Amino acid sequence: GATALSNPSVSNRRVSMLLGNGLMNPNFKMSMSGNNPSVSVSGTSNRSLQSSVSGKAQASLATSQPQYTTRPALMYTLEGPAIRTSRLRDHQRIQLAAGQIMNLIPTVDPEFQGYLDPSTGEAMVGVVMENFCEKVETGDEILLAEGAIRAVVEEVDLVKKRIKTRVNNKAKLRERRMVEVRGKFIDQPLLSDRDYDAIKFISKNHMDFVSMPGIRSVADVQLLRDALDKANCSSVKILSHIDTSAAIRNYDEILDSSDGIVISRAYLGMRIPAEKVALAQKWMCTKANLKAKPIIIASQLLDTMVDAPRPTRAEMTDVANAMYDGADAIMLREETANGDFVNKAVVVASAILQHA
């Protein structure tokens, strides 16, 4: 039994890698050790980066281990209706301290660069949503970076289009982090112009899957399927992200209309009580297994490996428990998109899955 589980040729468990800036690391290689991985391209506006990811994955078969007879599956993750922070100057993280002022500046320019003002010590961070000022009010709690950074709104200046917040905790802010206003649903179109542009890229580069954040109902799944049909890529399979309370309520219908499910735990944990996420994960996996629909568990699996070469024991146990819950795959996100140990993260995840 142990020998069979450790042999990747007889294991169907997979590691999905979300690739981004980590691809540009000169030490990066498309790791094929352990389980045959799938590769996910994020909804970045950098077309050269997207093409590089696709090209490396397509070419990986030539250097893969002999037991692999197909290339890694290619998955494109659309941006969806999520609100995100802007780029940061020189791509450098901003060190935030408890009590520090962080000014949020609504912008329509996804390439706006946030920075730390040395003269005032205040952080200036863009939020890629033009009318964001109109959606918040004094006293609102803003969550950034999957809830790792919390700030309270102290002032909303509609003239200067600036939101003054005070940070609650010490943290480092990376660029393009998700923004959430606790307790408020900010309605936005499921598919943006950037997503429709990305669908053309999906069609041109023969992606196998498209994963869609922000799915709330069957109507959302159908909207995406119609968009894929119009782009002549109806064969692309749809993986619906479960990352909102509405998606939980409509889970059975979303499961039936999708080709598979992605449980986005970090985002879900900002929208339902965090202590209920583990139970929701088990419940969703069981239902997907009963209907023979693939289900992927994503986010914060080996989060320590963004900055460190080894995960914690708790993280390793979490990856194994994902398999015991009935998941077909795990998705490494920050670990491989922006981490310093991309290859090691994939190797570690694969080793855990082989022995789970």
Side-chain angles (χ1 to χ4, degrees):
T3 302
L5 285 176
S6 65
N7 185 343
S9 65
V10 297
S11 175
N12 290 323
R13 296 160 177 173
R14 289 175 177 260
V15 178
S16 176
M17 301 174 286
L18 179 64
L19 297 182
N21 293 330
L23 183 70
M24 297 310 180
N25 187 316
N27 296 320
F28 174 84
K29 61 182 178 180
M30 187 69 72
S31 176
M32 295 297 292
S33 61
N35 300 57
N36 192 6
S38 61
V39 179
S40 177
V41 186
S42 63
T44 173
S45 60
N46 189 331
R47 283 286 176 260
S48 62
L49 174 59
Q50 291 175 338
S51 297
S52 182
V53 172
S54 179
K56 284 197 176 187
Q58 297 279 3
S60 65
L61 179 59
T63 58
S64 65
Q65 297 180 20
Q67 66 266 31
Y68 301 131
T69 57
T70 59
R71 64 162 172 77
L74 291 172
M75 176 169 64
Y76 194 109
T77 300
L78 297 173
E79 290 191 355
I83 305 168
R84 296 186 181 276
T85 60
S86 66
R87 302 287 182 187
L88 297 179
R89 187 172 292 173
D90 299 323
H91 305 291
Q92 295 297 311
R93 288 176 282 185
I94 296 177
Q95 178 65 62
L96 299 172
Q100 183 176 356
I101 297 298
M102 176 174 62
N103 294 293
L104 302 179
I105 305 169
T107 177
V108 294
D109 180 9
E111 301 306 320
F112 174 93
Q113 295 185 349
Y115 60 95
L116 184 65
D117 189 334
S119 63
T120 63
E122 298 181 359
M124 313 296 286
V125 180
V127 175
V128 188
M129 181 180 181
E130 186 176 17
N131 62 340
F132 187 63
C133 279
E134 301 167 12
K135 305 297 182 180
V136 300
E137 56 189 355
T138 302
D140 279 347
E141 184 180 21
I142 307 292
L143 307 180
L144 303 178
E146 301 176 344
I149 301 171
R150 300 178 180 230
V152 176
V153 176
E154 293 191 344
E155 181 183 347
V156 180
D157 191 328
L158 295 175
V159 177
K160 294 182 179 180
K161 292 189 175 181
R162 182 173 298 184
I163 302 165
K164 178 183 177 182
T165 72
R166 191 172 297 274
V167 179
N168 284 347
N169 59 290
K170 177 182 177 181
K172 287 184 178 180
L173 175 65
R174 295 174 180 267
E175 59 187 7
R176 300 284 294 154
R177 298 298 89 188
M178 186 174 174
V179 180
E180 186 83 5
V181 183
R182 181 177 285 280
K184 287 188 175 181
F185 169 64
I186 299 177
D187 192 18
Q188 292 197 98
L190 180 72
L191 296 172
S192 65
D193 290 341
R194 287 161 62 87
D195 286 328
Y196 282 109
D197 184 46
I199 288 173
K200 296 176 184 177
F201 176 87
I202 291 168
S203 178
K204 179 181 177 182
N205 288 273
H206 310 293
M207 295 284 174
D208 302 293
F209 298 92
V210 58
S211 69
M212 184 74 239
I215 293 285
R216 297 172 58 84
S217 66
V218 174
D220 289 339
V221 181
Q222 189 58 51
L223 177 66
L224 176 57
R225 201 172 294 281
D226 290 343
L228 291 172
D229 289 344
K230 290 179 181 178
N232 296 317
C233 49
S234 56
S235 63
V236 175
K237 304 299 184 183
I238 294 176
L239 302 181
S240 295
H241 285 227
I242 305 300
D243 53 12
T244 65
S245 56
I248 291 285
R249 290 194 300 271
N250 298 319
Y251 180 68
D252 288 337
E253 293 79 8
I254 292 172
L255 177 62
D256 287 340
S257 60
S258 305
D259 298 300
I261 295 294
V262 176
I263 304 177
S264 297
R265 302 185 305 178
Y267 299 158
L268 191 60
M270 292 193 292
R271 293 159 176 169
I272 68 172
E275 63 272 16
K276 294 185 177 181
V277 172
L279 181 60
Q281 173 176 304
K282 295 178 185 296
W283 173 76
M284 286 187 279
C285 284
T286 298
K287 283 181 171 285
N289 291 165
L290 289 173
K291 295 193 175 183
K293 292 288 183 80
I295 186 163
I296 300 171
I297 294 177
S299 65
Q300 296 182 334
L301 287 152
L302 300 176
D303 218 34
T304 302
M305 295 194 73
V306 173
D307 302 302
R310 287 181 60 83
T312 65
R313 301 300 179 270
E315 289 172 332
M316 297 175 77
T317 301
D318 185 34
V319 171
N321 279 332
M323 296 299 103
Y324 303 148
D325 285 348
D328 297 283
I330 61 166
M331 181 187 291
L332 300 180
R333 297 172 63 95
E334 197 66 23
E335 302 93 329
T336 51
N338 294 300
D340 295 329
F341 301 93
V342 176
N343 296 315
K344 284 188 177 181
V346 177
V347 170
V348 168
S350 295
I352 297 169
L353 297 189
Q354 289 168 33
H355 292 88

